[in-house]
Amino acid sequence: MLPTSMITARPIDPLAGEALSSAGAAEDVYDCLILGAGPAGLTAATYLARYQRRVLVVDAGQSRARLIPTSHNCPGFPFGVAGSEILSRFRAQAESHQVPIVSTRIEDLHLQDGRFCASDGAQQWCARNVLLATGIVDRLPDAEGLEEAIAAGSLRLCAVCDGYEARNEAVGVYASIEDGLTHAKFLRTFSADVHVLAPEQGPPSAEQFAQAEAAGVTLHAGIRGLNFSTRGCLAILANGESHYLDTVYPVLGCDPRTQLAMQLDAAMDQDGKLIVDSVMQTSVAGLFAAGDVVSGLNQISVAVGHAAIAATAIHRRLPFNPWPTGGPEATTAAP
């Protein structure tokens, strides 16, 4: 992570064109613009509203959490909770503090006159700070019925989240042999029947076979395809035979949603995730990030922690906002 002393703001070219409606007047500049309404973005919005800050959330409706059929790994929900319910609760809490949430996709983010300005092509919003909570997109196998398979648990996206739910099942890891062995070893905590399904052609090396044998994992190279159903998955092997699995974890990497940060030349790591300092600020002053778009463990609990740290840091870098002497009616801040 970068130390705070290394952070400097770098302005870029202003947004071209004059057709956009502008929120750039002084009275329309938000304290913080939050991009993304997943657990990280909505947590930060709630914190900042309770800090009496003027905040706006802009959301494209693509939170990764929405794909969770049922999570038993989310603190506070011992009997499990659907991703849609998690998002609904986080949103309701932010909205209870009068946080406005706009449904649109931001296409441009730049610095202008010391302010961040974001546009969806039709409207523009400006703020003193921006929090990116835009998340990631998982790379998935080339197969049909993926949404139904995710909903049924035949295709799972996070072994940390739900490896426990796959205990004692026939589990496949669809990945390169090298990555597959690493993740299959982790999943052996939960099942004795774990398989690496590698699309790579050619037999595994003697060393790879030895690693698999030591971990109690079966290797399959040259996988021809995956046929998902709501009951499981048939992996088509190199010899044309099929092997049944209760669930499959694809380990194909992900694509962080950092396009807006790239417009500001924010620093990223080798995986394309945003590098932040101890208070979640990127290499661009006033540009913060939280959740899966930041290097680290992709978990709701981690995203919430990121958001709390970032929101508090944003509050502290803003001008002092004492409670008005005349009482609550003298302020327009959120309660």
Side-chain angles (χ1 to χ4, degrees):
M1 292 186 177
L2 297 178
T4 306
S5 60
M6 292 179 62
I7 295 177
T8 57
R10 293 185 294 278
I12 63 174
D13 292 337
L15 181 67
E18 299 180 354
L20 301 178
S21 62
S22 176
E27 65 272 17
D28 291 328
V29 175
Y30 290 90
D31 289 320
C32 186
L33 177 63
I34 297 174
L35 304 183
L42 292 171
T43 295
T46 296
Y47 268 68
L48 284 164
R50 289 171 59 83
Y51 289 145
Q52 304 295 298
R53 298 301 187 178
R54 189 163 180 257
V55 60
L56 173 71
V57 176
V58 179
D59 179 50
Q62 296 297 307
S63 172
R64 187 172 180 247
R66 78 191 193 284
L67 300 174
I68 300 172
T70 305
S71 172
H72 294 85
N73 200 49
C74 187
F77 294 94
F79 305 109
V81 59
S84 58
E85 176 66 13
I86 293 172
L87 293 175
S88 176
R89 286 172 177 258
F90 275 82
R91 180 178 287 256
Q93 188 168 12
E95 290 179 336
S96 74
H97 293 284
Q98 288 76 56
V99 172
I101 302 174
V102 176
S103 297
T104 189
R105 182 183 300 278
I106 296 299
E107 301 291 346
D108 180 271
L109 179 64
H110 66 273
L111 280 162
Q112 181 175 309
D113 299 328
R115 300 285 186 259
F116 292 94
C117 292
S119 167
D120 65 354
Q123 188 171 359
Q124 178 171 284
W125 298 270
C126 294
R128 297 174 179 85
N129 301 275
V130 169
L131 174 68
L132 294 176
T134 46
I136 60 174
V137 179
D138 293 288
R139 298 173 192 162
L140 299 177
D142 184 12
E144 296 181 358
L146 296 185
E147 290 189 12
E148 294 80 3
I150 291 172
S154 303
L155 178 64
R156 299 178 184 268
L157 302 181
C158 179
V160 174
C161 297
D162 55 23
Y164 180 83
E165 271 64 60
R167 63 193 185 280
N168 203 33
E169 292 185 348
V171 178
V173 179
Y174 185 70
S176 67
I177 294 175
E178 181 179 356
D179 289 339
L181 282 170
T182 299
H183 286 78
K185 185 176 179 181
F186 177 84
L187 283 161
R188 278 288 284 110
T189 296
F190 309 105
S191 175
D193 189 10
V194 180
H195 303 254
V196 173
L197 311 172
E200 301 166 56
Q201 300 298 318
S205 68
E207 180 181 355
Q208 289 168 335
F209 268 123
Q211 292 178 27
E213 184 176 7
V217 171
T218 304
L219 286 180
H220 305 282
I223 295 296
R224 294 184 180 179
L226 299 173
N227 293 336
F228 288 98
S229 72
T230 56
R231 297 182 302 277
C233 176
L234 284 178
I236 310 305
L237 308 182
N239 61 5
E241 296 179 356
S242 60
H243 188 85
Y244 173 80
L245 299 150
D246 294 300
T247 190
V248 170
Y249 288 87
V251 184
L252 304 174
C254 66
D255 296 307
R257 293 191 178 102
T258 54
Q259 295 88 343
L260 296 173
M262 292 172 64
Q263 295 178 15
L264 295 168
D265 293 328
M268 302 179 194
D269 66 14
Q270 67 275 12
D271 296 321
K273 290 194 171 187
L274 289 169
I275 298 173
V276 295
D277 64 13
S278 60
V279 295
M280 310 309 295
Q281 187 168 219
T282 71
S283 60
V284 179
L287 180 67
F288 292 75
D292 293 353
V293 76
V294 176
S295 300
L297 190 63
N298 297 335
Q299 294 284 290
I300 290 173
S301 55
V302 173
V304 168
H306 284 177
I309 293 169
T312 304
I314 290 168
H315 169 64
R316 286 173 173 165
R317 80 187 302 270
L318 285 164
F320 181 46
N321 62 337
W323 188 264
T325 304
E329 67 277 2
T331 180
T332 58

